[in-house]
Amino acid sequence: MRIEVRLFAFETDIPQPLRMVFDRSPSLADVLSNLPIPDGMETVVLVNGRNTAPETLLSEGDRIAVFPPMTGG
């Protein structure tokens, strides 16, 4: 199963988009645990443009966008 991940506004050398392959249907938490995001860093995560719970199982072709917290106005 292939999942596409895009990391926005992170300082990383990972090519974008990152395509991850899993043997089974992963949860969003499974995918996030495999990303180079510092432990404890808060993030905004969208799956196919929508907020999704970490325990949600993902489907083939899902697109995940990860952002650091943003402020401003």
Tab-separated table of all heavy atoms in Angstrom:
chain	number	residue	atom	x	y	z
A	1	MET	N	0.834	-1.168	0.000
A	1	MET	CA	0.000	0.000	0.000
A	1	MET	C	0.885	1.240	0.000
A	1	MET	O	1.839	1.310	0.760
A	1	MET	CB	-0.881	-0.029	1.244
A	1	MET	CG	-1.505	1.285	1.531
A	1	MET	SD	-2.756	1.216	2.786
A	1	MET	CE	-3.911	0.166	1.987
A	2	ARG	N	0.584	2.187	-0.860
A	2	ARG	CA	1.379	3.406	-0.977
A	2	ARG	C	0.627	4.605	-0.413
A	2	ARG	O	-0.555	4.786	-0.690
A	2	ARG	CB	1.714	3.678	-2.425
A	2	ARG	CG	2.748	2.728	-2.949
A	2	ARG	CD	3.036	3.004	-4.370
A	2	ARG	NE	2.895	1.707	-5.044
A	2	ARG	CZ	3.019	1.514	-6.314
A	2	ARG	NH1	3.240	2.526	-7.100
A	2	ARG	NH2	2.904	0.320	-6.819
A	3	ILE	N	1.349	5.390	0.359
A	3	ILE	CA	0.813	6.610	0.953
A	3	ILE	C	1.757	7.748	0.576
A	3	ILE	O	2.969	7.598	0.633
A	3	ILE	CB	0.752	6.491	2.500
A	3	ILE	CG1	-0.029	5.256	2.940
A	3	ILE	CG2	0.215	7.761	3.134
A	3	ILE	CD1	-1.503	5.298	2.673
A	4	GLU	N	1.200	8.893	0.208
A	4	GLU	CA	2.005	10.058	-0.152
A	4	GLU	C	1.996	11.054	0.999
A	4	GLU	O	0.939	11.377	1.536
A	4	GLU	CB	1.434	10.718	-1.400
A	4	GLU	CG	2.218	11.923	-1.861
A	4	GLU	CD	1.630	12.526	-3.111
A	4	GLU	OE1	1.577	11.818	-4.139
A	4	GLU	OE2	1.225	13.701	-3.048
A	5	VAL	N	3.192	11.531	1.376
A	5	VAL	CA	3.323	12.480	2.477
A	5	VAL	C	4.077	13.704	1.983
A	5	VAL	O	5.084	13.591	1.302
A	5	VAL	CB	4.105	11.856	3.667
A	5	VAL	CG1	4.238	12.850	4.804
A	5	VAL	CG2	3.433	10.575	4.137
A	6	ARG	N	3.565	14.873	2.351
A	6	ARG	CA	4.259	16.127	2.050
A	6	ARG	C	4.509	16.855	3.366
A	6	ARG	O	3.589	17.050	4.148
A	6	ARG	CB	3.440	17.011	1.122
A	6	ARG	CG	3.348	16.447	-0.279
A	6	ARG	CD	2.617	17.416	-1.195
A	6	ARG	NE	2.440	16.821	-2.493
A	6	ARG	CZ	3.203	17.103	-3.549
A	6	ARG	NH1	4.178	17.971	-3.446
A	6	ARG	NH2	2.980	16.525	-4.703
A	7	LEU	N	5.764	17.221	3.578
A	7	LEU	CA	6.155	17.984	4.753
A	7	LEU	C	6.330	19.434	4.330
A	7	LEU	O	7.147	19.733	3.458
A	7	LEU	CB	7.452	17.444	5.338
A	7	LEU	CG	7.439	15.981	5.752
A	7	LEU	CD1	8.840	15.539	6.161
A	7	LEU	CD2	6.458	15.740	6.875
A	8	PHE	N	5.547	20.328	4.923
A	8	PHE	CA	5.604	21.741	4.561
A	8	PHE	C	6.302	22.532	5.663
A	8	PHE	O	6.018	22.342	6.844
A	8	PHE	CB	4.190	22.298	4.357
A	8	PHE	CG	3.484	21.710	3.172
A	8	PHE	CD1	2.681	20.600	3.306
A	8	PHE	CD2	3.641	22.266	1.914
A	8	PHE	CE1	2.026	20.046	2.205
A	8	PHE	CE2	3.003	21.729	0.809
A	8	PHE	CZ	2.187	20.614	0.960
A	9	ALA	N	7.236	23.399	5.280
A	9	ALA	CA	7.931	24.314	6.185
A	9	ALA	C	8.797	23.598	7.213
A	9	ALA	O	9.003	24.090	8.302
A	9	ALA	CB	6.931	25.243	6.873
A	10	PHE	N	9.285	22.416	6.868
A	10	PHE	CA	10.239	21.705	7.715
A	10	PHE	C	11.594	21.775	7.035
A	10	PHE	O	11.685	21.701	5.808
A	10	PHE	CB	9.858	20.223	7.871
A	10	PHE	CG	8.695	19.982	8.765
A	10	PHE	CD1	7.412	19.877	8.244
A	10	PHE	CD2	8.869	19.838	10.132
A	10	PHE	CE1	6.331	19.641	9.063
A	10	PHE	CE2	7.791	19.594	10.964
A	10	PHE	CZ	6.517	19.499	10.423
A	11	GLU	N	12.645	21.907	7.837
A	11	GLU	CA	13.990	21.878	7.278
A	11	GLU	C	14.420	20.420	7.180
A	11	GLU	O	14.802	19.797	8.156
A	11	GLU	CB	14.946	22.658	8.168
A	11	GLU	CG	14.658	24.144	8.160
A	11	GLU	CD	15.659	24.919	8.979
A	11	GLU	OE1	16.786	24.437	9.195
A	11	GLU	OE2	15.295	26.020	9.405
A	12	THR	N	14.312	19.858	5.996
A	12	THR	CA	14.653	18.456	5.790
A	12	THR	C	15.202	18.260	4.385
A	12	THR	O	14.885	19.027	3.479
A	12	THR	CB	13.439	17.544	6.033
A	12	THR	OG1	13.829	16.190	5.811
A	12	THR	CG2	12.281	17.886	5.127
A	13	ASP	N	16.019	17.258	4.222
A	13	ASP	CA	16.581	16.939	2.909
A	13	ASP	C	15.773	15.873	2.186
A	13	ASP	O	16.186	15.374	1.146
A	13	ASP	CB	18.026	16.446	3.062
A	13	ASP	CG	18.942	17.539	3.571
A	13	ASP	OD1	18.629	18.725	3.362
A	13	ASP	OD2	19.966	17.200	4.184
A	14	ILE	N	14.628	15.508	2.734
A	14	ILE	CA	13.800	14.463	2.137
A	14	ILE	C	13.121	15.012	0.887
A	14	ILE	O	12.513	16.081	0.929
A	14	ILE	CB	12.743	13.968	3.138
A	14	ILE	CG1	13.441	13.311	4.322
A	14	ILE	CG2	11.761	13.020	2.480
A	14	ILE	CD1	12.510	12.890	5.415
A	15	PRO	N	13.219	14.295	-0.224
A	15	PRO	CA	12.538	14.751	-1.445
A	15	PRO	C	11.025	14.765	-1.247
A	15	PRO	O	10.478	13.937	-0.531
A	15	PRO	CB	12.943	13.726	-2.496
A	15	PRO	CG	13.476	12.559	-1.760
A	15	PRO	CD	13.902	13.024	-0.405
A	16	GLN	N	10.385	15.722	-1.871
A	16	GLN	CA	8.943	15.871	-1.736
A	16	GLN	C	8.263	15.554	-3.058
A	16	GLN	O	8.769	15.931	-4.097
A	16	GLN	CB	8.600	17.311	-1.327
A	16	GLN	CG	9.191	17.721	-0.011
A	16	GLN	CD	8.587	17.002	1.174
A	16	GLN	OE1	7.375	16.814	1.233
A	16	GLN	NE2	9.401	16.582	2.098
A	17	PRO	N	7.135	14.895	-3.091
A	17	PRO	CA	6.505	14.250	-1.951
A	17	PRO	C	7.241	12.969	-1.569
A	17	PRO	O	7.875	12.329	-2.400
A	17	PRO	CB	5.103	13.940	-2.432
A	17	PRO	CG	5.249	13.742	-3.903
A	17	PRO	CD	6.356	14.686	-4.320
A	18	LEU	N	7.096	12.606	-0.311
A	18	LEU	CA	7.649	11.362	0.201
A	18	LEU	C	6.605	10.275	-0.021
A	18	LEU	O	5.445	10.435	0.348
A	18	LEU	CB	7.945	11.527	1.695
A	18	LEU	CG	8.371	10.295	2.469
A	18	LEU	CD1	9.684	9.745	1.909
A	18	LEU	CD2	8.531	10.637	3.937
A	19	ARG	N	7.002	9.187	-0.651
A	19	ARG	CA	6.068	8.083	-0.886
A	19	ARG	C	6.480	6.922	0.001
A	19	ARG	O	7.611	6.457	-0.081
A	19	ARG	CB	6.055	7.699	-2.353
A	19	ARG	CG	5.399	8.782	-3.187
A	19	ARG	CD	5.301	8.434	-4.651
A	19	ARG	NE	4.568	9.455	-5.359
A	19	ARG	CZ	5.100	10.567	-5.859
A	19	ARG	NH1	6.366	10.824	-5.685
A	19	ARG	NH2	4.355	11.435	-6.509
A	20	MET	N	5.556	6.499	0.867
A	20	MET	CA	5.832	5.425	1.816
A	20	MET	C	5.050	4.186	1.408
A	20	MET	O	3.930	4.292	0.909
A	20	MET	CB	5.444	5.864	3.228
A	20	MET	CG	6.177	7.117	3.671
A	20	MET	SD	5.623	7.730	5.261
A	20	MET	CE	6.558	6.654	6.328
A	21	VAL	N	5.644	3.018	1.625
A	21	VAL	CA	5.002	1.753	1.273
A	21	VAL	C	4.846	0.924	2.543
A	21	VAL	O	5.786	0.791	3.325
A	21	VAL	CB	5.830	0.985	0.225
A	21	VAL	CG1	5.183	-0.339	-0.097
A	21	VAL	CG2	5.999	1.823	-1.035
A	22	PHE	N	3.650	0.370	2.735
A	22	PHE	CA	3.338	-0.466	3.893
A	22	PHE	C	2.784	-1.801	3.421
A	22	PHE	O	2.131	-1.874	2.377
A	22	PHE	CB	2.303	0.228	4.789
A	22	PHE	CG	2.828	1.462	5.465
A	22	PHE	CD1	2.777	2.691	4.836
A	22	PHE	CD2	3.384	1.399	6.725
A	22	PHE	CE1	3.264	3.835	5.446
A	22	PHE	CE2	3.872	2.538	7.355
A	22	PHE	CZ	3.820	3.752	6.714
A	23	ASP	N	3.016	-2.855	4.220
A	23	ASP	CA	2.487	-4.187	3.912
A	23	ASP	C	0.987	-4.279	4.161
A	23	ASP	O	0.312	-5.100	3.569
A	23	ASP	CB	3.171	-5.260	4.773
A	23	ASP	CG	4.647	-5.383	4.445
A	23	ASP	OD1	5.060	-4.949	3.354
A	23	ASP	OD2	5.384	-5.916	5.289
A	24	ARG	N	0.508	-3.465	5.066
A	24	ARG	CA	-0.896	-3.498	5.460
A	24	ARG	C	-1.418	-2.068	5.504
A	24	ARG	O	-0.672	-1.126	5.301
A	24	ARG	CB	-1.034	-4.137	6.840
A	24	ARG	CG	-0.201	-3.410	7.882
A	24	ARG	CD	-0.385	-3.920	9.286
A	24	ARG	NE	0.524	-3.283	10.209
A	24	ARG	CZ	0.452	-2.018	10.622
A	24	ARG	NH1	-0.494	-1.230	10.160
A	24	ARG	NH2	1.315	-1.524	11.478
A	25	SER	N	-2.688	-1.914	5.813
A	25	SER	CA	-3.282	-0.587	5.912
A	25	SER	C	-2.798	0.079	7.203
A	25	SER	O	-3.185	-0.334	8.291
A	25	SER	CB	-4.809	-0.711	5.915
A	25	SER	OG	-5.386	0.562	5.946
A	26	PRO	N	-1.945	1.104	7.107
A	26	PRO	CA	-1.415	1.729	8.314
A	26	PRO	C	-2.391	2.739	8.903
A	26	PRO	O	-3.268	3.252	8.211
A	26	PRO	CB	-0.165	2.446	7.800
A	26	PRO	CG	-0.555	2.853	6.415
A	26	PRO	CD	-1.393	1.707	5.897
A	27	SER	N	-2.224	3.010	10.172
A	27	SER	CA	-2.963	4.116	10.771
A	27	SER	C	-2.176	5.394	10.501
A	27	SER	O	-0.984	5.354	10.155
A	27	SER	CB	-3.133	3.910	12.272
A	27	SER	OG	-1.889	4.036	12.923
A	28	LEU	N	-2.823	6.515	10.683
A	28	LEU	CA	-2.131	7.792	10.534
A	28	LEU	C	-0.967	7.859	11.522
A	28	LEU	O	0.123	8.321	11.177
A	28	LEU	CB	-3.107	8.943	10.748
A	28	LEU	CG	-2.521	10.342	10.659
A	28	LEU	CD1	-1.830	10.577	9.328
A	28	LEU	CD2	-3.612	11.373	10.887
A	29	ALA	N	-1.150	7.351	12.728
A	29	ALA	CA	-0.082	7.342	13.737
A	29	ALA	C	1.115	6.524	13.261
A	29	ALA	O	2.265	6.903	13.511
A	29	ALA	CB	-0.608	6.806	15.057
A	30	ASP	N	0.877	5.399	12.574
A	30	ASP	CA	1.975	4.586	12.025
A	30	ASP	C	2.819	5.409	11.049
A	30	ASP	O	4.048	5.356	11.077
A	30	ASP	CB	1.451	3.351	11.285
A	30	ASP	CG	0.787	2.338	12.181
A	30	ASP	OD1	1.139	2.266	13.379
A	30	ASP	OD2	-0.087	1.608	11.669
A	31	VAL	N	2.154	6.128	10.179
A	31	VAL	CA	2.858	6.934	9.184
A	31	VAL	C	3.649	8.042	9.870
A	31	VAL	O	4.827	8.247	9.590
A	31	VAL	CB	1.873	7.521	8.151
A	31	VAL	CG1	2.566	8.516	7.240
A	31	VAL	CG2	1.235	6.406	7.333
A	32	LEU	N	3.010	8.750	10.795
A	32	LEU	CA	3.675	9.863	11.462
A	32	LEU	C	4.896	9.404	12.254
A	32	LEU	O	5.891	10.120	12.329
A	32	LEU	CB	2.688	10.601	12.374
A	32	LEU	CG	1.535	11.296	11.655
A	32	LEU	CD1	0.566	11.907	12.660
A	32	LEU	CD2	2.047	12.344	10.682
A	33	SER	N	4.836	8.202	12.822
A	33	SER	CA	5.965	7.708	13.612
A	33	SER	C	7.186	7.405	12.739
A	33	SER	O	8.291	7.280	13.256
A	33	SER	CB	5.560	6.464	14.404
A	33	SER	OG	5.365	5.363	13.542
A	34	ASN	N	6.995	7.308	11.429
A	34	ASN	CA	8.102	7.036	10.503
A	34	ASN	C	8.655	8.290	9.832
A	34	ASN	O	9.483	8.191	8.935
A	34	ASN	CB	7.638	6.055	9.420
A	34	ASN	CG	7.538	4.647	9.934
A	34	ASN	OD1	8.542	4.041	10.254
A	34	ASN	ND2	6.323	4.143	10.049
A	35	LEU	N	8.181	9.454	10.261
A	35	LEU	CA	8.640	10.709	9.661
A	35	LEU	C	9.734	11.354	10.499
A	35	LEU	O	9.766	11.181	11.721
A	35	LEU	CB	7.459	11.680	9.523
A	35	LEU	CG	6.353	11.241	8.581
A	35	LEU	CD1	5.220	12.261	8.588
A	35	LEU	CD2	6.872	11.044	7.176
A	36	PRO	N	10.623	12.126	9.862
A	36	PRO	CA	11.722	12.779	10.581
A	36	PRO	C	11.278	14.072	11.274
A	36	PRO	O	11.806	15.147	11.016
A	36	PRO	CB	12.731	13.056	9.475
A	36	PRO	CG	11.875	13.318	8.286
A	36	PRO	CD	10.715	12.354	8.426
A	37	ILE	N	10.291	13.962	12.132
A	37	ILE	CA	9.787	15.114	12.873
A	37	ILE	C	10.279	14.970	14.311
A	37	ILE	O	10.135	13.894	14.900
A	37	ILE	CB	8.249	15.163	12.829
A	37	ILE	CG1	7.786	15.337	11.377
A	37	ILE	CG2	7.719	16.292	13.700
A	37	ILE	CD1	6.305	15.219	11.179
A	38	PRO	N	10.865	16.020	14.893
A	38	PRO	CA	11.376	15.914	16.258
A	38	PRO	C	10.296	15.470	17.249
A	38	PRO	O	9.146	15.903	17.155
A	38	PRO	CB	11.850	17.340	16.572
A	38	PRO	CG	12.082	17.973	15.243
A	38	PRO	CD	11.085	17.339	14.314
A	39	ASP	N	10.684	14.606	18.185
A	39	ASP	CA	9.751	14.146	19.212
A	39	ASP	C	9.184	15.335	19.974
A	39	ASP	O	9.900	16.266	20.321
A	39	ASP	CB	10.456	13.215	20.202
A	39	ASP	CG	10.789	11.867	19.595
A	39	ASP	OD1	10.150	11.498	18.589
A	39	ASP	OD2	11.680	11.185	20.121
A	40	GLY	N	7.898	15.294	20.223
A	40	GLY	CA	7.232	16.335	20.992
A	40	GLY	C	6.842	17.561	20.194
A	40	GLY	O	6.173	18.444	20.723
A	41	MET	N	7.247	17.637	18.941
A	41	MET	CA	6.885	18.799	18.123
A	41	MET	C	5.420	18.699	17.718
A	41	MET	O	4.980	17.682	17.196
A	41	MET	CB	7.746	18.871	16.870
A	41	MET	CG	7.409	20.042	15.993
A	41	MET	SD	8.488	20.078	14.544
A	41	MET	CE	8.269	21.743	14.035
A	42	GLU	N	4.684	19.749	18.000
A	42	GLU	CA	3.284	19.763	17.590
A	42	GLU	C	3.204	20.002	16.086
A	42	GLU	O	4.014	20.732	15.524
A	42	GLU	CB	2.529	20.850	18.331
A	42	GLU	CG	2.371	20.542	19.804
A	42	GLU	CD	1.414	21.480	20.476
A	42	GLU	OE1	0.457	21.947	19.825
A	42	GLU	OE2	1.631	21.743	21.653
A	43	THR	N	2.239	19.369	15.461
A	43	THR	CA	2.058	19.517	14.020
A	43	THR	C	0.575	19.614	13.698
A	43	THR	O	-0.275	19.217	14.494
A	43	THR	CB	2.639	18.316	13.248
A	43	THR	OG1	2.031	17.122	13.737
A	43	THR	CG2	4.147	18.229	13.404
A	44	VAL	N	0.299	20.139	12.533
A	44	VAL	CA	-1.041	20.114	11.958
A	44	VAL	C	-0.978	19.068	10.851
A	44	VAL	O	-0.112	19.134	9.981
A	44	VAL	CB	-1.428	21.494	11.378
A	44	VAL	CG1	-2.758	21.428	10.660
A	44	VAL	CG2	-1.431	22.540	12.484
A	45	VAL	N	-1.881	18.080	10.902
A	45	VAL	CA	-1.849	16.976	9.945
A	45	VAL	C	-3.195	16.877	9.252
A	45	VAL	O	-4.248	16.838	9.910
A	45	VAL	CB	-1.520	15.645	10.655
A	45	VAL	CG1	-1.482	14.513	9.651
A	45	VAL	CG2	-0.202	15.749	11.409
A	46	LEU	N	-3.165	16.828	7.940
A	46	LEU	CA	-4.381	16.659	7.136
A	46	LEU	C	-4.242	15.414	6.277
A	46	LEU	O	-3.178	15.146	5.726
A	46	LEU	CB	-4.595	17.871	6.232
A	46	LEU	CG	-4.679	19.229	6.912
A	46	LEU	CD1	-4.766	20.330	5.863
A	46	LEU	CD2	-5.854	19.295	7.870
A	47	VAL	N	-5.325	14.662	6.170
A	47	VAL	CA	-5.380	13.512	5.267
A	47	VAL	C	-6.408	13.850	4.197
A	47	VAL	O	-7.579	14.095	4.507
A	47	VAL	CB	-5.767	12.216	6.010
A	47	VAL	CG1	-5.898	11.061	5.023
A	47	VAL	CG2	-4.752	11.887	7.093
A	48	ASN	N	-5.949	13.923	2.971
A	48	ASN	CA	-6.804	14.305	1.850
A	48	ASN	C	-7.520	15.628	2.127
A	48	ASN	O	-8.688	15.803	1.811
A	48	ASN	CB	-7.808	13.194	1.529
A	48	ASN	CG	-7.122	11.911	1.155
A	48	ASN	OD1	-6.084	11.913	0.507
A	48	ASN	ND2	-7.686	10.791	1.580
A	49	GLY	N	-6.793	16.555	2.781
A	49	GLY	CA	-7.320	17.891	3.033
A	49	GLY	C	-8.207	18.024	4.253
A	49	GLY	O	-8.783	19.083	4.475
A	50	ARG	N	-8.318	16.974	5.068
A	50	ARG	CA	-9.210	17.019	6.230
A	50	ARG	C	-8.482	16.583	7.498
A	50	ARG	O	-7.614	15.719	7.457
A	50	ARG	CB	-10.400	16.090	6.020
A	50	ARG	CG	-11.246	16.507	4.856
A	50	ARG	CD	-12.365	15.517	4.644
A	50	ARG	NE	-13.094	15.916	3.464
A	50	ARG	CZ	-14.391	16.084	3.429
A	50	ARG	NH1	-15.124	15.846	4.491
A	50	ARG	NH2	-14.983	16.453	2.316
A	51	ASN	N	-8.913	17.160	8.626
A	51	ASN	CA	-8.392	16.703	9.912
A	51	ASN	C	-8.823	15.267	10.120
A	51	ASN	O	-9.958	14.898	9.804
A	51	ASN	CB	-8.948	17.549	11.056
A	51	ASN	CG	-8.304	18.917	11.102
A	51	ASN	OD1	-7.139	19.062	10.788
A	51	ASN	ND2	-9.065	19.905	11.504
A	52	THR	N	-7.926	14.452	10.641
A	52	THR	CA	-8.201	13.028	10.824
A	52	THR	C	-7.580	12.567	12.127
A	52	THR	O	-6.482	12.979	12.472
A	52	THR	CB	-7.615	12.216	9.649
A	52	THR	OG1	-8.139	12.739	8.432
A	52	THR	CG2	-7.973	10.761	9.735
A	53	ALA	N	-8.257	11.687	12.843
A	53	ALA	CA	-7.751	11.146	14.099
A	53	ALA	C	-6.550	10.242	13.845
A	53	ALA	O	-6.492	9.543	12.827
A	53	ALA	CB	-8.846	10.360	14.811
A	54	PRO	N	-5.578	10.214	14.762
A	54	PRO	CA	-4.372	9.395	14.572
A	54	PRO	C	-4.653	7.910	14.393
A	54	PRO	O	-3.900	7.222	13.714
A	54	PRO	CB	-3.566	9.634	15.849
A	54	PRO	CG	-4.062	10.932	16.373
A	54	PRO	CD	-5.509	11.021	15.967
A	55	GLU	N	-5.729	7.396	14.972
A	55	GLU	CA	-6.014	5.964	14.869
A	55	GLU	C	-6.723	5.573	13.573
A	55	GLU	O	-6.939	4.392	13.294
A	55	GLU	CB	-6.834	5.488	16.074
A	55	GLU	CG	-8.179	6.148	16.222
A	55	GLU	CD	-8.155	7.479	16.978
A	55	GLU	OE1	-7.087	7.967	17.364
A	55	GLU	OE2	-9.248	8.033	17.148
A	56	THR	N	-7.036	6.544	12.728
A	56	THR	CA	-7.713	6.280	11.464
A	56	THR	C	-6.834	5.433	10.547
A	56	THR	O	-5.654	5.743	10.352
A	56	THR	CB	-8.060	7.599	10.754
A	56	THR	OG1	-8.909	8.363	11.611
A	56	THR	CG2	-8.742	7.357	9.425
A	57	LEU	N	-7.407	4.374	9.985
A	57	LEU	CA	-6.679	3.555	9.015
A	57	LEU	C	-6.694	4.254	7.662
A	57	LEU	O	-7.725	4.770	7.229
A	57	LEU	CB	-7.301	2.167	8.906
A	57	LEU	CG	-7.182	1.294	10.148
A	57	LEU	CD1	-7.864	-0.046	9.914
A	57	LEU	CD2	-5.730	1.086	10.537
A	58	LEU	N	-5.556	4.246	7.008
A	58	LEU	CA	-5.421	4.917	5.722
A	58	LEU	C	-5.682	3.956	4.574
A	58	LEU	O	-5.595	2.745	4.734
A	58	LEU	CB	-4.024	5.513	5.615
A	58	LEU	CG	-3.680	6.528	6.711
A	58	LEU	CD1	-2.225	6.921	6.614
A	58	LEU	CD2	-4.583	7.733	6.631
A	59	SER	N	-5.974	4.525	3.418
A	59	SER	CA	-6.255	3.740	2.216
A	59	SER	C	-5.218	4.036	1.145
A	59	SER	O	-4.565	5.085	1.159
A	59	SER	CB	-7.642	4.088	1.670
A	59	SER	OG	-8.631	3.807	2.619
A	60	GLU	N	-5.084	3.124	0.214
A	60	GLU	CA	-4.175	3.292	-0.923
A	60	GLU	C	-4.408	4.658	-1.565
A	60	GLU	O	-5.544	5.042	-1.834
A	60	GLU	CB	-4.429	2.188	-1.950
A	60	GLU	CG	-3.594	2.290	-3.192
A	60	GLU	CD	-2.192	1.722	-3.020
A	60	GLU	OE1	-2.000	0.849	-2.157
A	60	GLU	OE2	-1.300	2.153	-3.765
A	61	GLY	N	-3.320	5.396	-1.780
A	61	GLY	CA	-3.410	6.678	-2.467
A	61	GLY	C	-3.738	7.864	-1.591
A	61	GLY	O	-3.804	8.985	-2.092
A	62	ASP	N	-3.943	7.662	-0.282
A	62	ASP	CA	-4.208	8.801	0.593
A	62	ASP	C	-3.028	9.757	0.560
A	62	ASP	O	-1.883	9.352	0.403
A	62	ASP	CB	-4.454	8.349	2.037
A	62	ASP	CG	-5.870	7.854	2.261
A	62	ASP	OD1	-6.737	8.083	1.388
A	62	ASP	OD2	-6.112	7.250	3.315
A	63	ARG	N	-3.334	11.047	0.711
A	63	ARG	CA	-2.305	12.082	0.727
A	63	ARG	C	-2.306	12.756	2.088
A	63	ARG	O	-3.345	13.231	2.547
A	63	ARG	CB	-2.572	13.120	-0.354
A	63	ARG	CG	-2.424	12.559	-1.729
A	63	ARG	CD	-2.621	13.635	-2.742
A	63	ARG	NE	-2.832	13.022	-4.041
A	63	ARG	CZ	-3.357	13.643	-5.059
A	63	ARG	NH1	-3.730	14.889	-4.948
A	63	ARG	NH2	-3.506	13.022	-6.199
A	64	ILE	N	-1.135	12.782	2.701
A	64	ILE	CA	-0.996	13.369	4.023
A	64	ILE	C	-0.150	14.627	3.905
A	64	ILE	O	0.904	14.617	3.272
A	64	ILE	CB	-0.315	12.372	4.984
A	64	ILE	CG1	-1.180	11.115	5.083
A	64	ILE	CG2	-0.086	12.993	6.352
A	64	ILE	CD1	-0.505	9.975	5.783
A	65	ALA	N	-0.624	15.710	4.516
A	65	ALA	CA	0.122	16.964	4.568
A	65	ALA	C	0.432	17.253	6.030
A	65	ALA	O	-0.451	17.174	6.885
A	65	ALA	CB	-0.695	18.102	3.972
A	66	VAL	N	1.702	17.573	6.318
A	66	VAL	CA	2.129	17.844	7.692
A	66	VAL	C	2.759	19.236	7.732
A	66	VAL	O	3.650	19.544	6.942
A	66	VAL	CB	3.152	16.789	8.173
A	66	VAL	CG1	3.523	17.032	9.622
A	66	VAL	CG2	2.607	15.376	7.987
A	67	PHE	N	2.260	20.053	8.672
A	67	PHE	CA	2.736	21.421	8.842
A	67	PHE	C	3.158	21.630	10.292
A	67	PHE	O	2.511	21.094	11.197
A	67	PHE	CB	1.604	22.436	8.578
A	67	PHE	CG	0.974	22.349	7.235
A	67	PHE	CD1	-0.065	21.453	6.997
A	67	PHE	CD2	1.393	23.176	6.216
A	67	PHE	CE1	-0.670	21.390	5.752
A	67	PHE	CE2	0.784	23.118	4.960
A	67	PHE	CZ	-0.240	22.214	4.739
A	68	PRO	N	4.187	22.454	10.534
A	68	PRO	CA	4.451	22.864	11.912
A	68	PRO	C	3.362	23.854	12.326
A	68	PRO	O	2.655	24.393	11.459
A	68	PRO	CB	5.820	23.532	11.826
A	68	PRO	CG	5.959	23.965	10.423
A	68	PRO	CD	5.136	23.015	9.595
A	69	PRO	N	3.198	24.103	13.609
A	69	PRO	CA	2.190	25.083	14.025
A	69	PRO	C	2.492	26.438	13.409
A	69	PRO	O	3.653	26.811	13.247
A	69	PRO	CB	2.334	25.137	15.539
A	69	PRO	CG	3.243	24.046	15.923
A	69	PRO	CD	3.929	23.542	14.705
A	70	MET	N	1.446	27.152	13.048
A	70	MET	CA	1.614	28.461	12.419
A	70	MET	C	0.915	29.511	13.263
A	70	MET	O	-0.139	29.253	13.835
A	70	MET	CB	1.022	28.444	11.016
A	70	MET	CG	1.758	27.538	10.080
A	70	MET	SD	0.997	27.552	8.480
A	70	MET	CE	0.884	25.808	8.184
A	71	THR	N	1.508	30.678	13.315
A	71	THR	CA	0.884	31.802	14.014
A	71	THR	C	0.945	33.023	13.117
A	71	THR	O	1.641	33.030	12.106
A	71	THR	CB	1.613	32.109	15.330
A	71	THR	OG1	2.955	32.458	15.046
A	71	THR	CG2	1.573	30.918	16.277
A	72	GLY	N	0.237	34.006	13.491
A	72	GLY	CA	0.268	35.244	12.723
A	72	GLY	C	-1.140	35.751	12.497
A	72	GLY	O	-2.113	35.194	12.991
A	73	GLY	N	-1.217	36.761	11.736
A	73	GLY	CA	-2.555	37.281	11.504
A	73	GLY	C	-2.551	38.433	10.572
A	73	GLY	O	-1.651	38.829	9.954
